[in-house]
Amino acid sequence: MGLHPLEFSECYLDSPSFRDKIKAHEAELDKTNRFIKELYKDGKNLINATKQLGMAQRKFAQCLGEFHFEYIGDAKTDDEKCIDESLQEFSKFLKNLEDQRELMMRNITETLMKPLEKFRKDHLGTARVERKKYEKETEKYYSSLEKLLNMSAKKKEPQLQEADVQVENMRQHFQEESLDYVCKLQEIQERKKFECVEPMLAFFQTVFTFYHQGFELAKDFDHYKRALQINIQNTRNRFEGARSEVYELMKRIREAPQEYRQTSPISCEGYLYVQEKRPPPFGSSWVKRYCTFVKEQKILHMVTFDHRSGGKIGETESVTLKSCLRKMTDTLDRRFCLDLDITDRPGTVLTVQALSEDDHKFWMQAMGGKEPIGHYLGRTYSKERGIDAQLDDVGLSFVKNSISAIETRGINDQGLYRVVGVSSKVQKLLSLMIDEKSNEVDLSTSDDWDVKTITSALKLYLRSLPEPLMTYGLYKEFISPAKGGSPESRIQAVHCLVHKLPEKNREVLGLLMKHLANVAAHSKQNLMTVANLGVVFGPTLMRPQEDTVAAIMDLKFQNIVVEILIEHHEKVTLKPLRKETNVHNICRNRRNCLFFGITFYF
């Protein structure tokens, strides 16, 4: 398991587990920073100490061989695996050069040292500055919050309102800083995979020319170099696509943070200040705790956590809730308080304080408080669609019409499907073909619509469907084979899943994949390889129902699924499956059989 994704919605909860995730990301960046510093030092040794070249070379190779990139999510793509293993491959290569004693190091400063140092200063250095700023804003916000909550409710209303406004402004500023910091952390984690490896690749390319046997070595290394270049470019393309999705998600959460607060029908969570009574004459104290309330069992789990104590998490205390009552300010010199009657402590009332009026209402609603409140939670985000796109005969006709026009008029256009049309024209074309149910226009012969408008309209139609072409229900199943397994097993799995799709979905998918395979076949002219088409159509054909950072990290696997569909479209989308059939049933009475074109032996 790699690093956990940092969800933007968690910035508003600021939970202990969220802080632990941030620490893990920070530790990984520190490790990368130390690695780059060490690599830089070793490179200088190679330049300034030619007499000790052998020792420095082996140390440099050892440094590469021991380092592994961490990744966000629960699996790596084949490209990421290759990038991760590339450091070990580079290490082996350097050791081979040292054995031959024919190493000559030239131009290392320009090809390796400066780019790595630039990355360390520009990105890792910026991350450190942002970390200090984030910690400072954390301290400032929680200090002001405690000061506000300690204010007497008997103060004049204007004073209370002014204090509330000040703290709310500081809360918003803190949450803005939290969002920016979380986004920055994850962006650097993804960026380092190619920013660190590309300079090394350039260095090796330069070094070949200075070896006595450079030509032979470069020739032997060429196949791996080409594969790695493709891997890096694929990873970069996926990074760019994922980054735009992350920024879009962050923008939506900023506009409506309450809609993304992490709650569920099962539980809810957040911070509460718990009143702890002490023996006379010491009175009582208020302790900040992170609380999780399990609604069905009515169990409240409380863990002590203070950011100023170095993020140390205390023991978890659990109580069973009997009832919840609002605490009036005339009985307690604090606002936003609740009295909790505890089942497992007869006669004991636990008093807790929420962080704000909205938070107070949230906990009252979650715990079944007796006072009625307005229900404002549970809303879900949905994209407004200006186009009434449906997967019907009209839509199928539009898909066929568009594909025919693209293959007739623009199959060799550079950047096909990447170059977008003017938004207003795209909307107008789709409205003409779909909303007005007008399919009389033959786009293959019409000069009113250019190719980029048609390609954009086709993508917009697929994105505007009420449900993705590859359906929400099968999303996780499609993603799963892309995360591991052999190429043959991936094809088999995707084959099975395609034939679980509704008939109309499967028909449109087959048409589209055949068309994209044709586009890829002309990649020398249009520059649209299978990998490029996967980046374009991955998020278009399949997507999860929830907008989360974790889902965005799965974009790279969506691309892989689409690549499989394009490369093997004839086998995957056209060949029907036998119902209620599996490998063992087919092969029960035979020693070997052919299943999906693959022979199994028993």
Side-chain angles (χ1 to χ4, degrees), residues 64-103:
L64 290 175
E66 292 177 351
F67 185 81
H68 291 271
F69 288 118
E70 291 292 350
Y71 57 94
I72 298 176
D74 58 358
K76 292 186 286 189
T77 64
D78 291 342
D79 293 323
E80 289 172 332
K81 290 176 183 177
C82 184
I83 289 175
D84 187 29
E85 294 168 359
S86 63
L87 300 185
Q88 285 70 50
E89 292 295 326
F90 294 151
S91 175
K92 294 176 184 177
F93 179 78
L94 286 178
K95 289 177 181 177
N96 183 42
L97 294 179
E98 173 56 26
D99 292 338
Q100 296 180 23
R101 299 269 183 191
E102 295 177 354
L103 176 65

Side-chain angles (χ1 to χ4, degrees), residues 6 11 23 31 85 90 130 145 191 200 208 235 255 285 310 336 356 426 501 545 599:
L6 300 175
C11 295
K23 283 188 175 181
K31 184 175 72 170
E85 294 168 359
F90 294 151
E130 292 293 329
L145 181 62
R191 182 185 291 275
M200 297 176 201
F208 290 146
T235 304
E255 293 172 351
S285 63
F336 319 137
S356 65
V426 172
L501 292 171
Q545 286 185 290
T599 303

Side-chain angles (χ1 to χ4, degrees), residues 6 8 11 18-19 21-27 29-30 123-135 138 173-189 250 254:
L6 300 175
F8 291 130
C11 295
F18 175 61
R19 287 286 178 153
K21 293 177 188 177
I22 287 181
K23 283 188 175 181
H25 279 257
E26 291 171 345
L29 291 185
D30 288 340
H123 296 287
L124 299 181
T126 302
R128 287 194 169 192
V129 173
E130 292 293 329
R131 183 195 304 186
K132 292 180 180 179
K133 187 177 178 182
Y134 177 64
E135 292 172 350
T138 299
H173 185 65
F174 165 69
Q175 290 169 346
E176 290 280 336
E177 290 296 335
S178 182
L179 286 169
D180 289 335
Y181 183 51
V182 162
C183 184
K184 187 68 175 178
L185 281 178
Q186 297 187 115
E187 179 178 336
I188 295 175
Q189 295 286 15
M250 183 170 65
R254 275 179 170 164

Side-chain angles (χ1 to χ4, degrees), residues 291-302:
C291 301
T292 302
F293 181 64
V294 183
K295 298 177 182 179
E296 186 175 350
Q297 289 85 16
K298 290 192 174 183
I299 297 177
L300 181 67
H301 302 287
M302 301 177 291

Side-chain angles (χ1 to χ4, degrees), residues 372-586:
I373 61 170
H375 182 77
Y376 63 94
L377 296 176
R379 294 174 294 177
T380 57
Y381 173 82
S382 60
K383 298 180 181 178
E384 294 183 1
R385 296 185 177 90
I387 302 295
D388 183 22
Q390 298 295 329
L391 203 61
D392 51 15
D393 291 339
V394 175
L396 179 60
S397 177
F398 170 66
V399 171
K400 292 179 179 179
N401 198 345
S402 299
I403 290 175
S404 175
I406 295 165
E407 294 190 349
T408 302
R409 300 168 51 194
I411 195 69
N412 292 322
D413 289 2
Q414 287 192 6
L416 187 66
Y417 283 111
R418 271 197 181 278
V419 180
V420 298
V422 179
S423 179
S424 58
K425 292 184 66 177
V426 172
Q427 291 274 352
K428 183 178 180 181
L429 173 60
L430 194 54
S431 297
L432 174 68
M433 304 299 290
I434 300 298
D435 288 354
E436 299 178 9
K437 307 296 187 294
S438 174
N439 285 284
E440 298 178 358
V441 178
D442 185 358
L443 298 176
S444 300
T445 58
S446 175
D447 295 330
D448 297 334
W449 311 101
D450 54 24
V451 173
K452 64 183 179 182
T453 300
I454 298 173
T455 57
S456 298
L458 179 57
K459 290 189 293 183
L460 179 59
Y461 165 75
L462 294 171
R463 288 196 301 268
S464 301
L465 292 172
E467 187 176 22
L469 192 63
M470 297 169 72
T471 73
Y472 290 129
L474 293 176
Y475 174 78
K476 291 184 178 179
E477 295 184 56
F478 270 113
I479 287 293
S480 181
K483 293 183 177 181
S486 65
E488 292 81 5
S489 64
R490 291 180 180 181
I491 296 170
Q492 292 174 27
V494 173
H495 187 174
C496 294
L497 293 171
V498 165
H499 289 275
K500 288 184 180 181
L501 292 171
E503 182 179 351
K504 188 71 72 172
N505 297 56
R506 192 166 63 249
E507 183 180 359
V508 173
L509 186 64
L511 289 171
L512 188 61
M513 291 305 108
K514 182 179 179 182
H515 164 62
L516 294 182
N518 191 20
V519 173
H522 292 77
S523 59
K524 288 185 178 180
Q525 291 79 30
N526 58 39
L527 306 182
M528 293 302 292
T529 62
V530 172
N532 290 338
L533 292 170
V535 171
V536 173
F537 280 91
T540 300
L541 299 179
M542 54 190 305
R543 59 183 181 272
Q545 286 185 290
E546 295 183 354
D547 287 334
T548 63
V549 174
I552 293 174
M553 291 301 127
D554 278 342
L555 280 175
K556 52 194 176 186
F557 299 111
Q558 296 175 19
N559 303 343
I560 291 172
V561 173
V562 174
E563 290 173 21
I564 293 173
L565 289 170
I566 295 173
E567 290 180 334
H568 306 279
H569 70 281
E570 292 184 352
K571 179 188 296 184
V572 172
T573 61
L574 300 181
K575 186 184 296 184
L577 288 171
R578 292 172 58 181
K579 294 184 179 179
E580 303 296 331
T581 302
N582 57 47
V583 177
H584 299 288
N585 290 337
I586 294 175

Side-chain angles (χ1 to χ4, degrees), residues 221-366:
F221 193 76
D222 192 62
H223 73 283
Y224 182 80
K225 181 196 70 174
R226 291 180 183 278
L228 183 57
Q229 285 175 328
I230 295 172
N231 297 142
I232 291 173
Q233 188 58 47
N234 290 343
T235 304
R236 182 186 290 275
N237 291 341
R238 289 164 184 160
F239 165 78
E240 295 294 343
R243 183 173 65 169
S244 63
E245 292 289 335
V246 166
Y247 276 92
E248 181 64 27
L249 175 59
M250 183 170 65
K251 178 182 176 182
R252 293 199 299 268
I253 290 182
R254 275 179 170 164
E255 293 172 351
Q258 286 296 338
E259 295 184 5
Y260 287 84
R261 180 164 181 171
Q262 287 194 336
T263 59
S264 72
I266 300 174
S267 64
C268 57
E269 52 188 306
Y271 281 104
L272 288 172
Y273 280 78
V274 181
Q275 185 183 36
E276 294 187 352
K277 297 181 180 179
R278 304 184 183 276
F282 299 106
S284 62
S285 63
W286 294 85
V287 180
K288 183 174 70 172
R289 292 188 172 185
Y290 193 80
C291 301
T292 302
F293 181 64
V294 183
K295 298 177 182 179
E296 186 175 350
Q297 289 85 16
K298 290 192 174 183
I299 297 177
L300 181 67
H301 302 287
M302 301 177 291
V303 56
T304 304
F305 180 77
D306 194 336
H307 301 86
R308 292 174 298 185
S309 65
K312 186 177 180 180
I313 301 176
E315 295 183 358
T316 301
E317 179 183 0
S318 301
V319 296
T320 304
L321 184 67
K322 183 178 180 181
S323 64
C324 170
L325 295 174
R326 178 173 182 170
K327 187 80 172 180
M328 305 302 293
T329 55
D330 56 357
T331 60
L332 184 68
D333 192 24
R334 283 202 173 204
R335 298 183 295 162
F336 319 137
C337 290
L338 302 168
D339 277 344
L340 307 182
D341 191 1
I342 308 303
T343 301
D344 37 16
R345 297 181 190 174
T348 300
V349 176
L350 187 66
T351 302
V352 299
Q353 182 183 26
L355 305 185
S356 65
E357 183 63 32
D358 285 342
D359 204 42
H360 178 259
K361 292 179 181 180
F362 167 72
W363 285 108
M364 279 281 289
Q365 178 186 346

